[in-house]
Amino acid sequence: MRRLSSPWSELASHYAVVVVGSGYGGAITASRLARAGQQVCVLERGRELLPGDYPRTDAEFMSEFQVHFDPEAAADVGSPTALFELHRGGDVSVVTGCGLGGTSLINANVAMRPDPRVFLDGRWPDAFRADVDGLLEDGFAWAEHMLRPLPYPESAPPLATLSALAKSAEKLGGTFRRPPLAVTFEEGVNAAGVRQGACTLCGDCMTGCNFGAKNSVLMNYLPDAHRHGAKLFTEVGVRYLARDGARWRVYYRPMNAGRERFDAPDLWLTADRVILAAGTMGTAELLLRSKALGLSLSGRLGQRFSNNGDVMAFGYNTDVPVYGVGLGEAPSAGREPVGPTITGIIDDRATLRQEDGMIIENGAIPAALARPVTALLAAASAIAGQDTDRGVIDRVGELARIADSAVRGPYHGAMRNTQTFLVMSHDDGAGELRLSGDRVRVHWPGAGRQAVFTRVDERLRRATEALGGTFVRNPLWNKLTGHELLCTHPLGGCAMGERAEEGVVDHEGRVFAGPEGTEVHEGLYVSDGSVIPRPLGINPLLTISAVAERTVALMARRHGWSVDYSPVPEAPGPRPTQPLAVQFTETMYGYISAGADEDFLRAGDPARRDTSPFRFIVTVDSRDLEETLAHPLHPMQLSGCVVAPVLSSRPMTVERGVLHLMTHEGARPGGRRMRYQLPLVSESGERFFVDGYKDVHDDDGPDLWVDTTRLLVSIFRGEDASGRCIFRGYLRLNAKDFAVQLSTLRVLHAQGTVQRLAALARFGRFFFGELFETYVRSKAA
Ligand SMILES: Cc1cc2nc3c(=O)[nH]c(=O)nc-3n(C[C@H](O)[C@H](O)[C@H](O)COP(=O)(O)OP(=O)(O)OC[C@H]3O[C@@H](n4cnc5c(N)ncnc54)[C@H](O)[C@@H]3O)c2cc1C
Ligand code: SF4
């Protein structure tokens, strides 16, 4: 499997199309527009994790977990690029995925079409409903072609969890079936030409598939986009958008570079068209921020949020083995196969009123969560569990199994006999996403008290009764928490509507340009779960994908582009591993003045009346550490921004800056030079060029600190130093910022701690070795 993404430092300042987010909506849009010959750039906040990189243990899971709380209650926890994102602090808690591939990386693969009655609802715009058998049907067909959903094969090993669900179905009277799963059961090449491994039945799909068998968009649509020329950038969090004449200005923050430790301003790029596909929570959040900063949008923004009637509960410690706990590895001798997370459904949708229908599915708990869930269920069953069978002998057996789980772990006793139930149904879709502090939260008082959840609760209690277990609800759903819901299928918030009074986007995904009417913002689209205006009552990924396929087909039609849907041959094998790189973020500030011919120190003297402040915050990246060290100029890339009000009232972007680290080039004999070249572009399109150097040389007195922390700068108009020099001065790095700079130092692409430490040592040896040569050995000589 080839790595697809590039680092943010390679971003250009303008693209024809920018896609924000890389889940189903983003990946589909990127693939189709790249196939239509458009210059596509995908910006994804998370990292690129390949099979083998996903958490297997609880410790690994914790480092891939981020939680957002109500800002008034607690600070966020975890890295902002961790794979699992839990949005707490509202009336509904929401789980989403963060990474190249979005939530497709951690979902349970069920790719099913909804009850056709869903599309009769008047909440969908008329033109959409009229097109259900047209472009929407094509969209479903394309999505099925790319995601290749198949039921768990009859020829595959029997699964105890599936038999247990069949038993529950008998008791409930619903139709029992095997749903289509976006999983590869036989090794082979997929529709994007990517070779995928066969499912090992490990049961860990919800923490990411380490075997390349899960048909997440990282395996199909994204490689397809990349192959057709799209550029994918990870660790780029988009903050907000603003109109800039005929273009869009996209403000973003590089993640994990430590820029926030210097309170650095947001960076930006421009695009002719922007497609927001940051998921229900992400897209609403960045549109709400954009609205607060002046972008005119529909008053419906944030509304029509639905939980998709989601419920999770457990049939704990049943009388039958279930083997519903993931293994963290392929099943070996003596271990029962678990299967993909979900393999069966009780389809209860053939109700007179669509709103009364529901789907009940089995689910496997991934290995990385097994131990915490074991402890949680033992406690929750004792406090609030409902034992569904009676009898002294039965009770003795139950207690023995609980003890067995506690002593021997989650693959034994009570946990071995636990069925996880996942339900989708129909809530009223009346939630609202609001900005609270800097984060979006669900405002939906009383959401969990809707009648549908009591009905689901009763059905699940009976499903557990069929297995003789203890019924344990989602621990959040109780009186104390106001019946808080836990949602894995957030929908709505930027819902489709006929006009701005009813929705945020039209049936083509175009964003309405104000609170009223049908006028849209030229070139601004939404394509993800947020446009769905109602619950689907079924796992939503296939519908989100079909709607995204339809949106991009209409976009292409509107602009006269032709999407080439022809198949591709098998892609070349994996690229060699990425070279080790060292990265850190640096800030320097000082003053400049128009004395272009003057001495740097006089021109930048803060005591002068005609000086202006100047500051840069740049991330320094070696790209390939070995190459950097071997090259006589020791070049490193500089990316970031410059704040200099005399040049531009807004921060300017550094476009492909270069640092020559400790080179002899241009240095005095026995010394070294650090040269900074920063091409700048302002928001109004003006270009400047900063040429600066640190003169590292052993002069009289203790000058090492001053030499290495003082940058003498000349500023030219235009793209390079051939333009007119208009300012001069000098910048300083103070001791406090230097300490922060050290805290941002990191090694990229290291395979483990030993390699990381070795790379740091190698870089440190080079840097301090050069200083030693300059200040100690030259003196000795
Ligand atoms: C545990 C779990 C199990 C699930 N199981 C199923 C299932 O079996 N079947 C099913 O149909 N559905 C399932 N789902 C739901 C399904 O995966 C989602 O509905 C679907 O992935 C949503 O697609 P999307 O394109 O709207 O957004 P997402 O897939 O969520 O993608 C959004 C992307 O945008 C990125 N992003 C967010 N904000 C920004 C920003 N500001 N800047 C840049 N990037 C940003 C995110 O990091 C993410 O990568 C499950 C979900 C979970 C959590
Ligand atoms: S069961 Fe295991 S191998 Fe199969 S798709 Fe899920 S994670 Fe991958």
Side-chain angles (χ1 to χ4, degrees), residues 317 392-406 413-414:
N317 194 7
V392 177
I393 295 175
D394 182 72
R395 186 65 193 142
V396 169
E398 284 169 359
L399 289 172
R401 286 198 297 270
I402 292 172
D404 196 14
S405 264

Side-chain angles (χ1 to χ4, degrees), residues 109 183 198-205 208-211 213-214 339-341:
N109 321 305
V183 170
C199 175
T200 64
L201 314 183
C202 70
D204 290 322
C205 316
C209 178
N210 280 315
F211 300 96
K214 183 177 166 70
T341 301

Side-chain angles (χ1 to χ4, degrees), residues 20-26 43-46 84-85 95-112 206 236-239 277-283 285-286 289 342 361 487-491 527-530 538-542 544:
V20 180
S22 64
Y24 294 98
L43 303 178
E44 165 56 49
R45 175 160 49 95
F84 298 84
E85 197 168 1
V95 185
T96 54
C98 172
L100 193 69
T103 311
S104 82
L105 299 172
I106 58 155
N107 69 17
N109 321 305
V110 176
M112 271 179 87
M206 288 203 301
V236 181
V238 173
R239 300 283 304 159
T280 293
M281 307 301 279
T283 294
E285 186 168 287
L286 67 92
R289 267 195 218 117
I342 294 171
E361 297 169 346
C487 171
T488 52
H489 301 148
L491 298 171
S527 186
D528 58 22
S530 70
I538 184 79
N539 316 63
L541 79 81
L542 196 66
I544 293 171

